[in-house]
Amino acid sequence: LDELYTRTERWTELVALLEDQSSSCVEDPERHATMLLRLGAVHEEKIEDPGAAIALYGRALDSPVQEAALGALERLARDPDWAEQTALLMEPCYTERGDWRSLVRISEMREHNAVDVEAKVRCHRRISRLYEQEGDDHDMAYEHMGLAVTLLPDSKASVDELLRLTDATGHHEETLGLLSGVVEEILDPQRQAGLQRILAKLAMDHVGDPELAERHLLELIALAPEDVEATDGLIALARANHENEKLIELLRNKASWAMDTPEDKRALLKEAAEMATTVVNDNARAIDIYEEMRLVDPTDVEPLDALARLYEETGAWESLVEILRDKLERTEDLDTRKWVAAEMAHTQSKR
């Protein structure tokens, strides 16, 4: 009957016959599995029902004919429609064997045929782990984790893994380029700011590019204007590069929002004002900064003394009188009060 049904292409009757024969030999594992392979081949090649064929090949995996069953599944896995289903059947076999290269191959097939981005990312992450843990190949692990990040930059887990592999491989410059190319695809401002921070650190600490580090810190500041770490980084770069104009404004800006003690704000403004006076010779800006400093601590006489000197140098007599009046009100020492009062009178005579 087998030969007759085959010659006359009566595939439905042949399948029924083979199923009966398969059921009658369950006590003989090898023969039973061989019958399953034959049934699978009929479904695959004659009836053109790959789904049924895959199910039959899968039933033959735990048998003496496992190699043949795997070969049949590998063949069907090349079809995008069946890649996922066949991979799920083959993976336990290759895992049990410790055949990590085959696991890589079927994961690559799954990735190639996947439509969903997250499914592709899972495949690349799986391949990366296999290369690192089983193949001791950190470069290939890095390559596939990089592909995962490129596909889904918003995945913190993938970015963290990529950074770990970057340290293991020394591919800091490549990572800087990769992350720079995808950072703007991240929609969450907080996550994007975090990645800009990472990019600045890579540029400064590993690639040695202060200009690029500054660019990423500025991008971070645009997303998080009151970020202390980024501001301090920009201040450090301005100091190192002797960019005094920029440094003055950075110090002044930090003082405007820093949630530190009045002493810290005062120190920032004092440094900015002294630089404006002695380094860039901008008395007008120094006056503005000392006026800001007065607001931090009304009992502080240092900004009053500095303002008095600057107003006198610039001939701003009315402003000088106001400063001296303010100082007089704060002073309790009789001799000092007499001196300040005399200075006020002298100044008023010049108005």
Side-chain angles (χ1 to χ4, degrees):
L1 284 176
D2 187 327
E3 183 180 349
L4 175 63
Y5 290 151
T6 302
R7 189 173 65 251
T8 57
E9 299 183 358
R10 295 166 64 181
W11 308 124
T12 302
E13 289 85 345
L14 179 59
V15 165
L17 175 64
L18 294 175
E19 285 176 346
D20 286 342
Q21 291 176 351
S22 173
S23 300
S24 66
C25 63
V26 290
E27 300 300 324
D28 184 343
E30 184 170 359
R31 187 181 173 204
H32 178 66
T34 301
M35 295 302 298
L36 290 174
L37 289 179
R38 177 89 190 282
L39 269 168
V42 172
H43 278 285
E44 178 187 358
E45 299 167 10
K46 306 303 181 182
I47 300 179
E48 297 183 352
D49 184 354
I54 290 168
L56 289 161
Y57 294 145
R59 289 169 59 190
L61 285 172
D62 189 18
S63 76
V65 296
Q66 184 183 81
E67 285 296 336
L70 282 170
L73 289 169
E74 290 270 13
R75 182 177 61 251
L76 285 165
R78 299 188 190 102
D79 186 329
D81 292 334
W82 305 105
E84 184 70 15
Q85 186 176 340
T86 54
L88 291 173
L89 290 170
M90 292 186 288
E91 187 164 337
C93 295
Y94 289 137
T95 300
E96 186 177 354
R97 291 180 177 188
D99 186 355
W100 67 271
R101 292 186 185 279
S102 291
L103 289 171
V104 166
R105 187 176 66 256
I106 63 173
S107 293
E108 287 175 339
M109 285 191 294
R110 292 173 73 180
E111 188 281 328
H112 178 73
N113 293 316
V115 176
D116 181 65
V117 171
E118 291 189 1
K120 286 179 173 289
V121 169
R122 285 194 297 271
C123 290
H124 281 301
R125 288 177 56 84
R126 168 74 164 149
I127 295 167
S128 178
R129 286 194 298 272
L130 287 166
Y131 271 117
E132 181 183 12
Q133 297 171 6
E134 305 298 334
D136 196 28
D137 189 336
H138 289 83
D139 286 327
M140 287 300 295
Y142 171 87
E143 179 179 325
H144 280 277
M145 195 57 68
L147 290 170
V149 171
T150 301
L151 286 167
L152 196 62
D154 209 21
S155 170
K156 183 179 183 300
S158 294
V159 171
D160 288 346
E161 283 294 294
L162 180 67
L163 293 172
R164 183 182 62 78
L165 289 165
T166 297
D167 289 335
T169 57
H171 295 325
H172 295 97
E173 191 167 353
E174 292 88 339
T175 298
L176 179 60
L178 187 155
L179 294 179
S180 296
V182 300
V183 63
E184 293 186 1
E185 296 179 26
I186 298 174
L187 300 179
D188 185 291
Q190 187 173 356
R191 296 283 289 278
Q192 189 179 141
L195 193 52
Q196 292 288 4
R197 191 189 316 281
I198 289 168
L199 287 165
K201 185 174 179 60
L202 283 169
M204 192 67 194
D205 297 348
H206 297 285
V207 179
D209 189 337
E211 290 185 8
L212 184 57
E214 181 180 20
R215 191 152 66 244
H216 286 296
L217 287 173
L218 288 171
E219 292 287 348
L220 171 52
I221 290 292
L223 293 163
E226 298 183 4
D227 189 284
V228 176
E229 185 179 349
T231 301
D232 288 344
L234 288 169
I235 288 172
L237 286 169
R239 287 191 201 281
N241 296 329
H242 304 290
E243 296 176 302
N244 299 314
E245 295 276 358
K246 187 181 295 183
L247 178 56
I248 289 170
E249 290 310 308
L250 286 167
L251 292 168
R252 193 175 178 183
N253 178 61
K254 183 179 179 182
S256 71
W257 54 257
M259 301 299 290
D260 298 321
T261 63
E263 290 78 11
D264 293 326
K265 290 177 178 284
R266 179 183 182 280
L268 290 166
L269 290 170
K270 181 181 178 181
E271 181 181 1
E274 289 177 348
M275 288 191 68
T277 305
T278 61
V279 179
V280 302
N281 299 315
D282 188 343
N283 286 341
R285 191 188 307 184
I287 287 170
D288 288 343
I289 299 171
Y290 278 122
E291 289 288 0
E292 292 171 17
M293 191 173 164
R294 287 177 66 190
L295 299 175
V296 174
D297 182 4
T299 65
D300 187 6
V301 297
E302 184 173 0
L304 295 179
D305 291 339
L307 284 167
R309 184 179 65 254
L310 288 167
Y311 284 138
E312 185 173 9
E313 289 178 4
T314 57
W317 307 119
E318 291 187 8
S319 297
L320 177 55
V321 168
E322 291 301 318
I323 290 296
L324 291 171
R325 183 177 290 113
D326 191 1
K327 189 171 182 179
L328 183 63
E329 292 173 357
R330 298 166 188 239
T331 303
E332 295 181 0
D333 181 75
L334 183 59
D335 290 337
T336 304
R337 287 177 63 85
K338 288 180 179 179
W339 179 86
V340 172
E343 284 294 308
M344 282 181 63
H346 179 67
T347 302
Q348 287 174 325
S349 70
K350 296 180 181 181
R351 293 169 62 178

